[in-house]
Amino acid sequence: IAEDKNHNLWISLYGAGVAKYDGKQFSYFNESDGLLSNSVRKIVYSTENECLILATETGLCLYDGRHFKSFTRNDSKFKFQITGINNYNGKCLVTSSRHGVYQLTVASKNINNSTLDSLFYAKISYSSFSDKNLYYAGDAEHSLIIRDLVSNKQTQIPSPITWDFASSGEALFLA
């Protein structure tokens, strides 16, 4: 669930697209409206770029309230599943399950002028989180990956599969 600048709530209806609740009624958006995939995993509202960022089973999708813009890859036998959307020092980091971590850039708050550039490879990642200079990912090898985004040093710690992260500011919680 994400809230946009107009206080609309956006809800993933995994398999049926997304719903927008304006406080009075629901509106629905799916593939026939331009959404990349009806299977939306995560929704984040970017106040900086004034758009929704939607992580789907087949790629990344942006929505500015009027238009959708999609990023996908067709150069692999694996789907371009997006499993994480994180902010790091004003940058938007996008984690894919098998293709690594990318940086999303939206120029001049115009989703048509947006790019998705590869930053580094990460193993099969089910979830991600960034805090301060650290990037965390839960991977398929039952590990927690911790990467320092300044030095690019990476540590791998044995861990159960991590599906989600939360932080209290002092502690990191894994689920």
Side-chain angles (χ1 to χ4, degrees):
I1 298 176
E3 183 177 357
D4 67 21
K5 69 179 180 177
N6 297 318
H7 305 289
N8 297 309
L9 294 179
W10 291 85
I11 304 159
S12 170
L13 305 173
Y14 193 84
V18 295
K20 177 179 93 171
Y21 181 65
D22 65 7
K24 296 179 183 174
Q25 63 183 10
F26 283 93
S27 302
Y28 300 93
F29 300 85
N30 57 39
E31 290 174 7
S32 65
D33 299 303
L35 182 62
L36 177 62
S37 169
N38 286 335
S39 298
V40 176
R41 291 174 172 255
K42 295 185 187 286
I43 304 173
V44 172
Y45 182 75
S46 171
T47 54
E48 181 179 285
N49 299 310
E50 296 182 5
C51 68
L52 283 174
I53 305 171
L54 303 117
T56 80
E57 286 288 318
T58 56
L60 187 73
C61 195
L62 307 179
Y63 183 65
D64 64 6
R66 297 172 312 203
H67 306 99
F68 286 97
K69 173 154 185 185
S70 300
F71 295 94
T72 190
R73 288 182 57 166
N74 296 320
D75 61 344
S76 172
K77 64 180 180 177
F78 302 110
K79 290 185 204 175
F80 191 47
Q81 296 176 354
I82 305 301
T83 57
I85 304 167
N86 309 103
N87 288 312
Y88 165 68
N89 288 343
K91 299 174 185 173
C92 181
L93 303 182
V94 176
T95 302
S96 66
S97 65
R98 293 179 180 258
H99 298 280
V101 179
Y102 295 78
Q103 179 178 329
L104 173 66
T105 304
V106 179
S108 305
K109 297 182 183 179
N110 182 344
I111 65 171
N112 291 319
N113 295 332
S114 54
T115 59
L116 191 63
D117 301 304
S118 180
L119 285 181
F120 58 89
Y121 177 74
K123 294 181 180 183
I124 301 171
S125 299
Y126 293 132
S127 59
S128 63
F129 181 78
S130 60
D131 185 39
K132 299 177 182 141
N133 291 331
L134 298 176
Y135 168 86
Y136 303 88
D139 76 8
E141 295 179 358
H142 299 272
S143 297
L144 175 64
I145 305 298
I146 304 170
R147 184 181 185 104
D148 185 310
L149 294 170
V150 176
S151 70
N152 287 322
K153 290 183 181 176
Q154 187 167 298
T155 304
Q156 185 171 335
I157 300 170
S159 166
I161 291 177
T162 303
W163 294 106
D164 207 356
F165 296 87
S167 173
S168 68
E170 296 178 16
L172 179 64
F173 301 94
L174 311 165

